[in-house]
Amino acid sequence: MSPHAGPKPFDHEERTMPETCEHLSAVDRVTPSARGCEECLKSGDRWVHLRLCRSCGHVGCCDQSKNRHATKHFRATGHPVIEGYDPPEGWGWCYVDEIFIDLPDQTPQVGPIPRYV
């Protein structure tokens, strides 16, 4: 390939998923920001499942919910790791590496969380 031919087109088959998450250092002990999806509670919307940002404690709704507030929080802040949070489920997801991770600890819920499924 000539140096002037430009970059090689992205080939989805060549993309490899990481086997480990390089963002575990961003996982902190946090205090949940709300007893449900913070934005949905303010707007009166419903959620399916909750996700907890392990960088700052923001509670947002999952991607199965119509508003997808957890993913919107990641895009706005770059905070990479969330925890499955209703109830605490012991798993995490790294948005950057697109990989499930085992979390070193689970965040306890602060009071009862309403169910909106």
Side-chain angles (χ1 to χ4, degrees):
M1 177 184 236
S2 125
H4 300 291
K8 182 178 174 184
F10 181 74
D11 182 352
H12 291 283
E13 296 300 318
E14 290 181 18
R15 182 170 186 220
T16 59
M17 300 305 289
E19 292 182 25
T20 60
C21 174
E22 297 182 13
H23 301 92
L24 285 175
S25 62
V27 172
D28 288 326
R29 290 182 186 263
V30 295
T31 300
S33 63
R35 291 185 181 169
C37 175
E38 199 172 320
E39 292 84 1
C40 287
L41 286 170
K42 290 175 185 172
S43 67
D45 278 336
R46 297 175 178 244
W47 59 81
V48 178
H49 297 289
L50 298 174
R51 305 297 180 238
L52 175 72
C53 175
R54 287 300 300 266
S55 292
C56 72
H58 174 269
V59 179
C61 54
C62 71
D63 284 352
Q64 292 173 318
S65 303
K66 77 174 189 175
N67 293 305
R68 300 180 175 130
H69 286 123
T71 296
K72 288 178 182 177
H73 175 75
F74 161 68
R75 289 186 181 137
T77 64
H79 296 166
V81 177
I82 56 167
E83 175 181 352
Y85 187 61
D86 62 344
E89 299 171 19
W91 60 265
W93 172 259
C94 178
Y95 283 107
V96 177
D97 291 328
E98 297 182 344
I99 189 172
F100 283 101
I101 55 175
D102 289 322
L103 293 172
D105 57 1
Q106 294 176 1
T107 307
Q109 289 182 338
V110 179
I113 293 177
R115 293 288 210 176
Y116 280 121
V117 179

